[in-house]
């Protein structure tokens, strides 16, 4: 049973920053790629960022590139998302997700088999 628990969301003013964390358990964390996805109320899921199992490369949606930074600490089984220069368009529930990609099957395949409960990010003045 893979479990992912996000934290770090909250209310922030435009231009502010937040750092999201995701604590993973129930699987070998350092063998799998991870991603962040988000969903605004009434809208579909939007992929945010991905990172290889060994953090060798990272990937970002064009809307996030330059503002967001994904990272991981495999020793702590933790995934992070540093978010800077936030704006109202970033308001959404952010989910930590386990990618099926691994050192054996592929770096990142953008197909997920475990989800966290999500953490809400609200950007408002």
């Amino acid at each position: 049973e893979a479990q992912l628990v996000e934290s770090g969301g909250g209310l922030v003013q435009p231009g502010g920053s937040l750092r999201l964390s995701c604590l993973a358990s129930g699987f070998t964390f350092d063998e799998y790629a991870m991603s962040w996805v988000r969903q605004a109320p009434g809208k579909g899921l939007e992929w945010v960022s991905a990172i290889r199992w060994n953090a060798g490369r990272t990937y970002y949606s064009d809307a996030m590139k330059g503002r967001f930074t994904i990272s991981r600490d495999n020793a702590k089984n933790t995934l992070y998302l540093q978010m800077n220069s936030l704006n109202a368009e970033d308001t959404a529930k952010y989910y930590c997700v386990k990618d099926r990609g691994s050192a054996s099957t592929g770096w990142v395949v953008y197909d997920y088999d475990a989800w966290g409960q999500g953490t809400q990010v609200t950007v408002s003045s």
Side-chain angles (χ1 to χ4, degrees), residues 5-6 11-12 26-27 32 34 37 47 54 57-58 68 72-74 77 86 92 94 96-97 110-111 113 115 119:
V5 181
E6 301 97 333
L11 177 65
V12 63
F27 66 100
Y32 290 90
M34 300 290 293
V37 300
W47 174 76
N54 65 350
R57 284 189 182 181
T58 57
F68 291 9
R72 65 193 298 163
D73 186 339
N74 285 343
N77 284 3
L86 289 164
Y94 285 72
C96 169
V97 295
Y110 305 100
D111 188 27
D113 58 7
W115 293 68
T119 186

Side-chain angles (χ1 to χ4, degrees), residues 13-33:
Q13 294 188 340
S17 299
L18 286 173
R19 191 188 193 195
L20 308 183
S21 298
C22 170
L23 179 62
S25 62
F27 66 100
T28 306
F29 180 72
D30 62 3
E31 292 184 354
Y32 290 90

Side-chain angles (χ1 to χ4, degrees), residues 29-78:
F29 180 72
D30 62 3
E31 292 184 354
Y32 290 90
M34 300 290 293
S35 283
W36 291 94
V37 300
R38 69 184 186 184
Q39 186 171 32
K43 297 184 178 180
L45 291 168
E46 179 184 20
W47 174 76
V48 174
S49 185
I51 187 168
R52 291 182 178 183
W53 66 271
N54 65 350
R57 284 189 182 181
T58 57
Y59 310 86
Y60 300 93
S61 167
D62 288 341
M64 328 298 170
K65 189 174 296 184
R67 300 188 299 121
F68 291 9
T69 303
I70 190 171
S71 62
R72 65 193 298 163
D73 186 339
N74 285 343
K76 297 181 178 180
N77 284 3
T78 302

